[in-house]
Amino acid sequence: MEVQTLAKDYKSFSSAAKSRFRRMAEELGYEQLTGIAYVKSRGDWYEGFGLQASSYGNDFFYINYGVMVPNLWPPFKGAVDLKCAGYILSARLHDDYAQGFSNATKDEIVKSADVALERYKEQAIPWLSEISDMHDIAEKYFERTHLKKDNLGTHEYGLQLHAANYALLLRLAGRVEDSLKWLAEAERLMALPVYFTRDGRVVHVREKYARICKPEKYEIERHDNIKTLIGQLKNE
């Protein structure tokens, strides 16, 4: 039996979603930044959700929600374009164990928006209500990483960004001493030389025939910014 699919009656998912998700945004108290990005200020941070069209052109889209912390990383530049801000904590909305919501036609998007509002109240709101301040964000972030508080000074290479993010969240939570400990851990990992061996291993002490992996420019800048911040916090 041949399966017939509905032809899309719109060209841009963002444009088609904009008016159809307005009611959801208004009911939740979110600002509509674009047709696919919605946020609510919580003081030093934002909660929000975003619509993500399927990358393979399928007739469904995803709804991701989470927490954004502007200006988390140095150098701290003041105003940030929230349209470009990523989630430091995030999850994906589900509908009956499926992650996708239909966007086959404009009418399907309307139906999806109604379902999404109910699912958001069931799944996202309780999760977001557990977060009241930067301390909560920091600890929830930590729980999602492979960091361990007993492993300070001994974490393996690859966890430097997690250590730095956690440290920077602690800084915003006012826990400067703890922040410095994790900044030091991140800096230690960032400073490790990296070599690729012939048999595919990553080592930090050069072996015969091993090839050095030079850091990218952005990695050098990130490392320098962390070192500068450590010095500033120690002098405060």
Side-chain angles (χ1 to χ4, degrees):
M1 180 178 178
E2 184 179 353
V3 178
Q4 294 184 341
T5 59
L6 297 172
K8 284 186 171 67
D9 55 359
Y10 60 88
K11 293 182 179 179
S12 165
F13 172 64
S14 177
S15 297
K18 188 171 185 177
S19 61
R20 291 159 182 83
F21 272 83
R22 188 169 292 134
R23 184 177 76 86
M24 178 174 173
E26 291 175 351
E27 185 161 335
L28 295 171
Y30 285 7
E31 176 187 356
Q32 189 177 47
L33 298 177
T34 68
I36 58 173
Y38 305 79
V39 300
K40 177 197 291 185
S41 174
R42 296 284 299 272
D44 293 332
W45 54 280
Y46 293 80
E47 66 177 70
F49 69 90
L51 314 181
Q52 177 188 341
S54 170
S55 59
Y56 296 101
N58 297 316
D59 290 335
F60 60 84
F61 64 99
Y62 305 110
I63 301 178
N64 305 308
Y65 61 92
V67 168
M68 294 176 284
V69 181
N71 270 330
L72 179 63
W73 274 77
F76 311 109
K77 298 180 179 179
V80 172
D81 186 355
L82 293 176
K83 297 175 186 176
C84 303
Y87 297 125
I88 192 71
L89 293 172
S90 65
R92 178 166 284 176
L93 210 62
H94 288 70
D95 178 30
D96 294 332
Y97 303 104
Q99 293 186 344
F101 293 80
S102 176
N103 66 345
T105 65
K106 291 179 181 178
D107 286 342
E108 288 294 306
I109 297 176
V110 171
K111 294 176 184 177
S112 289
D114 291 338
V115 173
L117 177 57
E118 296 307 311
R119 298 294 176 267
Y120 203 86
K121 291 176 180 178
E122 295 169 3
Q123 299 168 32
I125 295 301
W127 181 76
L128 290 165
S129 67
E130 296 175 358
I131 302 171
S132 60
D133 55 26
M134 201 62 67
H135 171 80
D136 292 339
I137 296 174
E139 294 312 311
K140 280 187 174 292
Y141 178 82
F142 184 87
E143 291 169 3
R144 293 186 171 205
T145 71
H146 293 291
L147 299 171
K148 293 184 179 180
K149 295 183 180 180
D150 292 336
N151 287 0
L152 268 172
T154 61
H155 285 98
E156 294 184 356
Y157 180 82
L159 293 175
Q160 52 268 34
L161 288 184
H162 288 164
N165 282 333
Y166 182 52
L168 294 167
L169 289 169
L170 290 173
R171 169 185 166 270
L172 292 178
R175 296 167 56 185
V176 177
E177 287 189 12
D178 290 333
S179 177
L180 277 168
K181 293 176 184 177
W182 286 97
L183 284 171
E185 181 73 332
E187 196 281 324
R188 178 185 70 82
L189 293 170
M190 290 176 176
L192 288 174
V194 177
Y195 302 96
F196 294 137
T197 66
R198 280 187 168 183
D199 57 356
R201 291 176 295 117
V202 175
V203 297
H204 306 295
V205 177
R206 188 162 197 167
E207 298 180 4
K208 191 174 182 179
Y209 303 121
R211 176 171 54 87
I212 190 168
C213 177
K214 294 182 179 180
E216 300 288 343
K217 181 180 179 181
Y218 74 89
E219 292 175 312
I220 295 172
E221 291 177 351
R222 180 185 287 162
H223 187 191
D224 288 342
N225 288 335
I226 290 297
K227 288 189 291 185
T228 299
L229 180 60
I230 290 173
Q232 291 172 344
L233 292 178
K234 285 182 175 180
N235 292 326
E236 286 184 355

